[in-house]
Amino acid sequence: MRVELADELQRLEDEGRTGVLHVGDGEFHLADGAIASATCSRTTGLDRLVVEAGVASAEDWERAGTGDPGPLLGRPLLETLALLAVFDAAYFLLPTPVVPEFRPAPAHWLSAVCTIRPRALVRECARRGDPDSGPWPAQLVDRAAVVPVRRIRRRRVLLTGSQAEVLAAADNRRSVTGIARDLGRTAYGCLEAVRDLTVAGLIEPPVGAPASDAGPPAADPAAAAEPPLRRRVRHATPVPDGDEWEPVDHELLTRLRAALEDLA
C-alpha cells in the first residue's frame, strides 16, 4: 500500500527513528527522526556542490564518507550546502508515487551539522510551488534536453547571473539535471532558471508543453539562497530592443561559455 512520503517522514520523526528511508530514485538519512541528508538521482549531489563551492576537495569528501570528516564539519558553508541538497532532493522526491522503505542504520555523519524536521521540509517544498506547473514540469528535469531558441524576439531582457549561466550551458543535449551537475548548482535552481528563460522566449519549451509569452523572466528565486559559485556570471545580459525576430548569436554564446570556463 502506498503511503504519502511526507506522512511517513512525520511518523519516523514521531518515533525518533534513525536510519535510511528509501524512496524511488532517492533516499533520506534520519537521525532521531530529523533529516540529516537526502539524495536523488535527478539532483546534484552534495559532493559536487561542496567541491564546486570550494568547501572541500574530492579527497576530503571521500574521506568524510568513510567516517573521517575531520575539519570539514567545522566549515560554516557545509551546513548551508547540506540544507540546499536536502531541499533540492525533497522537491523531486516528495511527489514520488512509490512505497517508501525504512531500514535502521547508524546516523549519517552530516547529522552533526544538518537537522531538518519533516514539517519544515514540507513547508519549504510547498513554498517552492507545484513541481508540475509551468512549461517545464519537474518530471522532465532529467528527461528533456534544454534547447536554446534559434530565433529570438528583439526586446530587452535582463538576465540574472544564474540565468545567463544556464542559457550558456544549453546545448541541445543536456537536461536540466545534466546542466546543474556540470555547473555545480542545485537542480531546482537550474529548473527555475530554465522555466524563466522559456517564458522569456530564449529556451524552447519541451516537446508537448505549451509555449508561453508571459514576458521577461523573473529573478531566479533559488539563486539568492545558493552560495556564490566560481563560474557565476555577475553582469546582466541584455537582448536588443525592438519587435522583430533575429537569429541567435551563437558566436556570442560560444564566447560566453568560454568565459564561464575561464572563471572555473
Side-chain angles (χ1 to χ4, degrees):
M1 181 179 66
R2 176 187 169 189
V3 178
E4 292 295 334
L5 180 54
D7 294 338
E8 180 66 2
L9 286 169
Q10 187 58 57
R11 181 186 72 81
L12 293 170
E13 182 191 22
D14 294 341
E15 296 178 1
R17 304 294 294 275
T18 298
V20 183
L21 181 65
H22 300 272
V23 50
D25 62 337
E27 59 188 27
F28 292 87
H29 292 259
L30 290 88
D32 297 325
I35 300 163
S37 175
T39 62
C40 175
S41 68
R42 290 164 284 170
T43 63
T44 307
L46 181 57
D47 56 340
R48 178 76 179 100
L49 296 178
V50 297
V51 170
E52 179 65 20
V55 173
S57 66
E59 292 74 19
D60 291 337
W61 189 258
E62 183 177 356
R63 189 163 50 250
T66 62
D68 180 23
L72 186 58
L73 288 175
R75 298 173 187 174
L77 191 54
L78 176 63
E79 179 181 1
T80 300
L81 292 170
L83 291 171
L84 281 172
V86 170
F87 290 137
D88 199 33
Y91 180 77
F92 297 96
L93 290 175
L94 283 178
T96 302
V98 297
V99 179
E101 179 184 359
F102 178 77
R103 296 178 183 175
H108 196 285
W109 65 271
L110 281 168
S111 61
V113 295
C114 180
T115 55
I116 305 172
R117 297 298 172 184
R119 287 189 180 87
L121 183 76
V122 172
R123 282 197 303 269
E124 171 59 21
C125 290
R127 183 192 68 79
R128 295 184 175 199
D130 183 357
D132 293 326
S133 65
W136 280 84
Q139 62 183 347
L140 297 180
V141 71
D142 63 339
R143 300 180 184 177
V146 181
V147 180
V149 299
R150 295 182 62 85
R151 302 178 69 85
I152 60 175
R153 183 177 296 278
R154 295 189 59 185
R155 65 183 180 190
R156 183 168 297 278
V157 178
L158 294 180
L159 303 181
T160 65
S162 59
Q163 290 165 352
E165 188 179 38
V166 170
L167 180 60
D171 58 3
N172 306 296
R173 177 177 54 85
R174 285 177 292 182
S175 64
V176 174
T177 294
I179 289 174
R181 285 177 180 156
D182 287 346
L183 297 180
R185 296 185 53 221
T186 64
Y188 171 75
C190 286
L191 177 61
E192 285 295 280
V194 167
R195 286 170 169 170
D196 290 338
L197 290 166
T198 303
V199 170
L202 300 176
I203 293 292
E204 295 282 0
V207 176
S212 173
D213 56 358
D220 181 357
E226 294 187 17
L229 301 178
R230 292 193 295 260
R231 284 195 247 178
R232 191 170 302 285
V233 177
R234 301 191 181 278
H235 299 288
T237 302
V239 176
D241 285 323
D243 296 321
E244 304 83 19
W245 290 84
E246 68 174 9
V248 172
D249 188 345
H250 291 287
E251 181 182 353
L252 175 61
L253 287 179
T254 300
R255 293 202 305 270
L256 181 54
R257 291 190 183 102
L260 291 174
E261 292 298 328
D262 289 341
L263 289 173

